[in-house]
Amino acid sequence: MATLLAPDALATALGSLPGWTQAGAQITRSFRFASFPDSVAFVTRVAFAAEAMDHHPDLDIRYDRVIVTLSTHSAGGVTDLDVALARQIDTIAAR
């Protein structure tokens, strides 16, 4: 099972993840796209990356905006898995 990040480790990780913020026991980021189809395409790419990691984010599509929320539910908060997936999601968004 994944281990929760200590508060200082989480702060350090967030310092290297521009746009990501802590919201309670999770981290979140909003991404904006040119259109609804672009938003859905992004979510599809994220879904394949998440499935490969067996770690699944909450994804909220709002037309040209996608809000991604990450938390390791079995650990009760943010773990290295969430940070790793956040980094992958940032790479996907930059394409």
Side-chain angles (χ1 to χ4, degrees), residues 15 50 72-73 76 91:
T72 303
H73 303 290
T91 298

Side-chain angles (χ1 to χ4, degrees), residues 10-90:
L10 178 54
T12 298
L14 287 174
S16 68
L17 290 167
W20 290 89
T21 59
Q22 182 178 2
Q26 52 198 14
I27 58 175
T28 188
R29 181 173 176 192
S30 178
F31 296 88
R32 193 166 292 275
F33 299 95
S35 67
F36 180 69
D38 290 339
S39 295
V40 172
F42 169 74
V43 166
T44 299
R45 291 191 304 274
V46 168
F48 280 100
E51 187 67 15
M53 290 180 67
D54 193 28
H55 192 61
H56 306 98
D58 292 332
L59 301 165
D60 181 9
I61 304 170
R62 304 287 174 124
Y63 180 64
D64 65 346
R65 186 170 58 125
V66 176
I67 302 165
V68 179
T69 304
L70 296 167
S71 180
T72 303
H73 303 290
S74 61
V78 180
T79 68
D80 283 334
L81 286 172
D82 301 300
V83 172
L85 185 53
R87 289 189 200 295
Q88 263 198 288
I89 291 169
D90 285 348

